[in-house]
Amino acid sequence: AQSVTQLDSQVPVFEEAPVELRCNYSSSVSVYLFWYVQYPNQGLQLLLKYLSGSTLVKGINGFEAEFNKSQTSFHLRKPSVHISDTAEYFCAVSDAGNNRKLIWGLGTSLAVNP
Amino acid sequence: KAGVTQTPRYLIKTRGQQVTLSCSPISGHRSVSWYQQTPGQGLQFLFEYFSETQRNKGNFPGRFSGRQFSNSRSEMNVSTLELGDSALYLCASTLLQGEDGYTFGSGTRLTVV
């Protein structure tokens, strides 16, 4: 069965510093990978996705992620964070075949401090 | 285009009551999924509907049910509410099978007292 592990439940960082949010998954089949962001009292918003092709994926708000098949990871990075990036970040994986049910990580709370 | 609309935004119910939540997907999206979000459990998948048929189901008791109408609007119902059902219920829609990602609504915050 597929599973997703977000290795850090909370990540504090200073403004303008780089950040990496880690995500590992387990699956025996080809997968699609996603990162979503949730701001307080809102739904989730798609940041970026990996379906196939280049392993480096660029998303909105200056975020990017790298798919590493051998390490079954899909870490999210941003070279310089802003206060407005403070939010909850979720990694999700789905089977690339017929059953596309999303499996979610528990989330990483990113706190950007001035 | 309009986003995913969930109504109501907030709801307070007492134990034993039932509740119906509504979700209007993005125009043209045929798949609607429902999630329960709580601080301790994260996002838990409830079910997914595609063209009025349940395509996937999570591990929730039968008190949780849903349906989808011909216009792709969806409702979920929770009967015999328990305190533990207090949560943010999120609806998400996608065009076909999620390759383009899901668009989420802002959720319905259900409090059971």
Side-chain angles (χ1 to χ4, degrees), chain A residues 54-65:
Chain A
S54 173
T55 57
L56 183 63
V57 179
K58 294 191 183 297
I60 62 171
N61 301 342
F63 284 93
E64 63 181 33

Side-chain angles (χ1 to χ4, degrees), chain B residues 52 68-73:
Chain B
E52 301 179 66
Q68 186 180 33
F69 302 95
S70 58
N71 61 358
S72 293
R73 190 178 71 84

